[in-house]
């Protein structure tokens, strides 16, 4: 939406194609927790910009080679985002396993005991929202510490740590997930294997850029922005989109 907004203001004809039924991409899930009202306002602002600048938005439409040939654009901007990193372990496809983005969009309401696998920003925010909703939550993280994203400010990191501590969210670092079982998970910590209860398992193990055919298409200019290049912060994505739109 940022790329479309800037390109339209510079005089280009712009159309957005969106595979899902709504605008916002991954940021819609990131802004879903109750404590992120300012983020929701930013999404609303961007949607208003699409209307105000009369930028057509075609939803529920997957861009394929046939569509590109039909539209025949001079420039294509790939902002398709990323997909969840898959963890090849036993039980990862169980019915009580949910991806963190899906959980955030559904409101973070789970009964019983929940283990969040991954102590990055999305995992910690989901754990905090689960606790706010009355859930019993643990986080397991392979690294020696949580919230290690380079784009996360110290102030926000410290605040989130304090909030999780206040809501009794247990954090197990240097801990590897071995198996997901029925009602529990098997973990390894300091070369010791143990099991902990888990009625639900939330996978927050990061994202990988989606591979597309766009770079091999016949479009004269193709640019890739945001998480489609590398998973990062909202600020990084907006900045990259703005700068690319200035090049066109």
């Amino acid at each position: 939406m940022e790329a479309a907004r800037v390109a339209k203001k510079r005089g280009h004809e712009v159309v957005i194609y969106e595979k899902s039924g709504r605008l916002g991409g991954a940021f819609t899930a990131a802004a879903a927790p109750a404590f992120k009202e300012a983020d929701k306002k930013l999404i609303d602002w961007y949607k208003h910009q699409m209307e105000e600048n009369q930028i057509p938005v075609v939803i529920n439409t997957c861009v394929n080679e046939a569509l590109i040939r039909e539209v025949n654009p001079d420039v294509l901007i790939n902002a398709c985002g990323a997909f969840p990193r898959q963890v090849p372990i036993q039980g990862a496809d169980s019915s009580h396993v949910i991806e963190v983005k899906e959980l955030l969009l559904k409101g973070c309401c789970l009964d019983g005991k929940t283990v969040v696998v991954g102590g990055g920003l999305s995992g910690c925010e989901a754990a905090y929202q689960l606790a706010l909703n009355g859930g019993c939550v643990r986080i397991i993280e392979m690294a020696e510490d949580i919230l290690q994203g380079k784009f996360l400010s110290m102030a926000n990191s410290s605040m989130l740590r304090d909030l999780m501590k206040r809501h009794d969210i247990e954090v197990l670092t240097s801990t590897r997930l071995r198996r997901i079982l029925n009602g529990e998970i098997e973990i390894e910590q300091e070369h010791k294997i143990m099991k902990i209860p888990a009625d639900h398992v939330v996978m927050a193990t990061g994202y990988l850029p989606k591979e597309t055919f766009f770079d091999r298409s016949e479009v004269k200019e193709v640019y890739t922005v945001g998480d489609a290049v590398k998973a990062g912060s909202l600020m990084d994505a907006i900045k990259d989109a703005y700068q690319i739109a200035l090049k066109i």
Side-chain angles (χ1 to χ4, degrees):
M1 286 191 283
E2 173 67 4
R5 182 187 72 86
V6 176
K8 184 62 184 285
K9 285 186 174 294
R10 299 188 69 234
H12 297 285
E13 294 182 20
V14 185
V15 180
I16 290 181
Y17 286 89
E18 168 57 42
K19 184 178 181 180
S20 74
R22 58 171 174 256
L23 292 172
F27 193 56
T28 302
F35 54 91
K36 302 186 76 172
E37 289 302 319
D39 291 349
K40 295 181 181 67
K41 291 179 181 179
L42 179 59
I43 294 176
D44 290 340
W45 182 83
Y46 268 112
K47 291 177 179 178
H48 177 70
Q49 288 297 304
M50 300 304 100
E51 296 174 0
E52 188 175 79
N53 289 286
Q54 298 182 331
I55 298 172
V57 176
V58 184
I59 61 172
N60 297 313
T61 301
C62 182
V63 175
N64 53 32
E65 294 181 76
L67 179 61
I68 289 179
R69 285 195 296 270
E70 178 185 341
V71 176
N72 191 28
D74 299 303
V75 179
L76 187 152
I77 298 178
N78 168 23
C80 288
F83 65 94
R85 187 189 302 272
Q86 300 299 313
V87 180
I89 60 168
Q90 177 184 331
D93 58 349
S94 300
S95 60
H96 62 294
V97 177
I98 185 170
E99 202 274 320
V100 66
K101 189 186 298 184
E102 182 182 353
L103 176 71
L104 288 165
L105 289 172
K106 289 183 175 180
C108 291
C109 292
L110 295 175
D111 296 326
K113 297 179 179 179
T114 300
V115 173
V116 177
V117 181
L121 181 59
S122 60
C124 289
E125 288 186 340
Y128 175 50
Q129 184 64 61
L130 282 164
L132 284 178
N133 293 340
C136 177
V137 192
R138 276 192 177 106
I139 296 173
I140 66 170
E141 167 58 50
M142 287 186 63
E144 295 180 357
D145 198 6
I146 58 173
L147 296 170
Q148 293 301 293
K150 64 177 182 178
F151 52 82
L152 182 62
S153 73
M154 181 63 71
N156 287 351
S157 173
S158 297
M159 179 188 69
L160 190 50
R161 288 173 191 269
D162 288 344
L163 290 170
M164 290 193 298
K165 185 176 181 180
R166 181 182 302 173
H167 286 80
D168 299 320
I169 297 173
E170 184 180 4
V171 177
L172 303 177
T173 55
S174 302
T175 302
R176 184 172 69 90
L177 176 65
R178 289 172 53 89
R179 292 189 296 165
I180 298 174
L181 305 169
N182 186 23
E184 61 185 7
I185 62 171
E186 184 179 274
I187 59 175
E188 181 177 349
Q189 185 183 61
E190 297 179 351
H191 306 295
K192 296 179 181 178
I193 297 174
M194 63 191 85
K195 293 177 181 179
I196 58 176
D199 299 305
H200 306 279
V201 179
V202 178
M203 303 302 291
T205 51
Y207 294 88
L208 297 172
K210 294 177 181 176
E211 293 185 9
T212 70
F213 62 89
F214 297 145
D215 288 334
R216 302 188 301 274
S217 70
E218 297 178 1
V219 179
K220 183 170 59 176
E221 292 183 57
V222 177
Y223 301 96
T224 303
V225 299
D227 286 353
V229 179
K230 183 180 180 181
S233 70
L234 172 69
M235 190 175 294
D236 289 337
I238 291 176
K239 179 182 177 182
D240 290 347
Y242 177 85
Q243 291 178 338
I244 282 177
L246 292 180
K247 293 180 181 180
I248 300 171

